Amino acid sequence: MFMEVKKTALELLAESVRFVLVGTTHPGNIGASARAMKTMGLSKLKLVAPKDFPNDIAFYRAKAAKDVLDQAEIHVDLFSATKNCELIIGTSARNRKVPWPVISPKEAGKEIVNALKRGTNDVAVVFGREDRGLTNEELGMCNLHVHIPTNEEYSSLNLSQAVQILSYETRLAMLESADLLEKPEWDVELANNDQTERLIAHLDELMQEVDFYDTQNPRKLLTRVRRFFKRSRIDKMEANIFRGLFSAIQQKLKK
Ligand code: SAH
């Protein structure tokens, strides 16, 4: 059952979300982008007027994502590559003259997943040329712009790395929204309040036995010790290990 739900949510993502690379110069970047997409379960790649594709370098850089390249569609312009899309998100390394709604990659992931939940069938995330990004006209075709918050003095990521960040955030948003993030179960039950309190009392007893602090003036020591154990949410076995250690020290002290 769990696997089925997971498959449906991720399949929906793979079927509905296309990544569009516009005017890419280096075939290596196309291959690396295909790999970045496939690691995140995306496979719809559209290439708008690539300078040099197909090319062996692209296939070499794609590693096990050659299928994504095999299926990649080539278009003459962005308009044709985004046909039927109800949501188009453009990426940009810098601010443009006319402000547009600009969101973070995380917000973009949520926008995409929300659109799919509303029944949108086609969403595009658009990436620009290595040397000069997307034209104003191309950015003007987008509903939203995404900026990856970078160092202001050097804001331009390698194309495939920008693809990796957007595809990761999109997958994460889908997994979170479908409550499919796998969190490993803890191997031991957490200590309950009784056990934690007894542990703290035991440590206090030991500290007094070795004159660790002035009982007339403990200051904040006990509060800090208490905070440490409460904050660490220790499990039953960890509590037992410490209790055993404190007892062993007490036994030695008695001898
Ligand atoms: N000099 C170009 C940089 C292009 S980098 C410019 O000023 O736009 C190639 C592509 O990678 C960009 O078009 C964009 O799609 C993506 N990219 C690189 N850095 C990015 C960033 N900080 N935020 C969003 N996308 C980015």
Side-chain angles (χ1 to χ4, degrees):
M1 181 58 197
F2 176 78
M3 283 305 287
E4 267 171 37
V5 178
K6 184 166 185 168
K7 227 174 137 192
T8 320
L10 293 176
E11 266 172 11
L12 180 68
L13 199 66
E15 280 162 17
S16 317
V17 181
R18 66 185 70 176
F19 273 28
V20 183
L21 307 187
V22 180
T24 313
T25 306
H26 302 290
N29 281 335
I30 298 177
S33 296
R35 180 181 184 177
M37 286 171 63
K38 187 166 178 181
T39 56
M40 296 298 134
L42 298 173
S43 53
K44 276 198 171 170
L45 177 62
K46 318 253 168 190
L47 305 172
V48 173
K51 291 270 145 41
D52 187 4
F53 187 84
N55 179 305
D56 285 351
I57 296 170
F59 283 86
Y60 173 74
R61 290 288 300 278
K63 298 281 175 204
K66 292 179 178 58
D67 53 332
V68 175
L69 289 186
D70 282 332
Q71 292 155 28
E73 275 177 24
I74 298 184
H75 291 262
V76 287
D77 58 22
L78 182 56
F79 184 74
S80 133
T82 51
K83 199 165 190 282
N84 295 331
C85 288
E86 291 159 59
L87 173 64
I88 305 178
I89 300 182
T91 55
S92 178
R94 58 196 160 95
N95 288 332
R96 302 293 162 144
K97 285 196 189 79
V98 180
W100 220 253
V102 178
I103 57 174
S104 70
K106 197 168 290 302
E107 289 165 330
K110 292 206 182 104
E111 286 282 349
I112 293 169
V113 169
N114 287 340
L116 299 187
K117 279 182 166 174
R118 285 195 306 267
T120 301
N121 293 317
D122 292 285
V123 172
V125 185
V126 185
F127 298 84
R129 299 156 189 83
E130 291 94 330
D131 57 346
R132 53 199 171 88
L134 293 165
T135 63
N136 287 334
E137 196 190 357
E138 287 157 351
L139 282 166
M141 237 182 254
C142 303
N143 304 104
L144 295 163
H145 292 171
V146 183
H147 176 68
I148 300 163
T150 35
N151 177 358
E152 278 156 32
E153 283 155 32
Y154 188 28
S155 68
S156 173
L157 273 78
N158 167 268
L159 174 61
S160 68
Q161 292 173 349
V163 168
Q164 185 76 74
I165 289 175
L166 267 300
S167 47
Y168 165 70
E169 290 292 356
T170 305
R171 181 181 178 84
L172 186 62
M174 182 50 105
L175 290 174
E176 277 173 355
S177 133
D179 204 14
L180 297 173
L181 269 187
E182 284 172 50
K183 298 183 189 100
E185 272 184 42
W186 203 249
D187 55 344
V188 180
E189 225 181 295
L190 288 187
N192 62 28
N193 190 43
D194 257 37
Q195 291 160 326
T196 314
E197 288 296 333
R198 282 204 299 272
L199 173 65
I200 295 169
H202 198 165
L203 178 57
D204 186 18
E205 200 181 286
L206 178 63
M207 288 194 296
Q208 292 189 30
E209 281 174 41
V210 296
D211 298 325
F212 186 70
Y213 68 93
D214 177 0
T215 51
Q216 297 309 305
N217 185 21
R219 298 207 283 187
K220 296 201 178 94
L221 176 76
L222 293 177
T223 310
R224 290 190 185 279
V225 166
R226 160 172 294 281
R227 185 175 69 181
F228 170 75
F229 282 109
K230 294 283 171 174
R231 191 183 69 212
S232 39
R233 320 271 340 263
I234 58 170
D235 67 36
K236 287 188 162 45
M237 201 179 292
E238 291 161 345
N240 283 338
I241 292 170
F242 282 110
R243 293 292 302 276
L245 171 66
F246 300 161
S247 296
I249 297 170
Q250 286 172 322
Q251 290 295 323
K252 277 269 185 198
L253 288 172
K254 279 197 192 113
K255 278 188 195 152

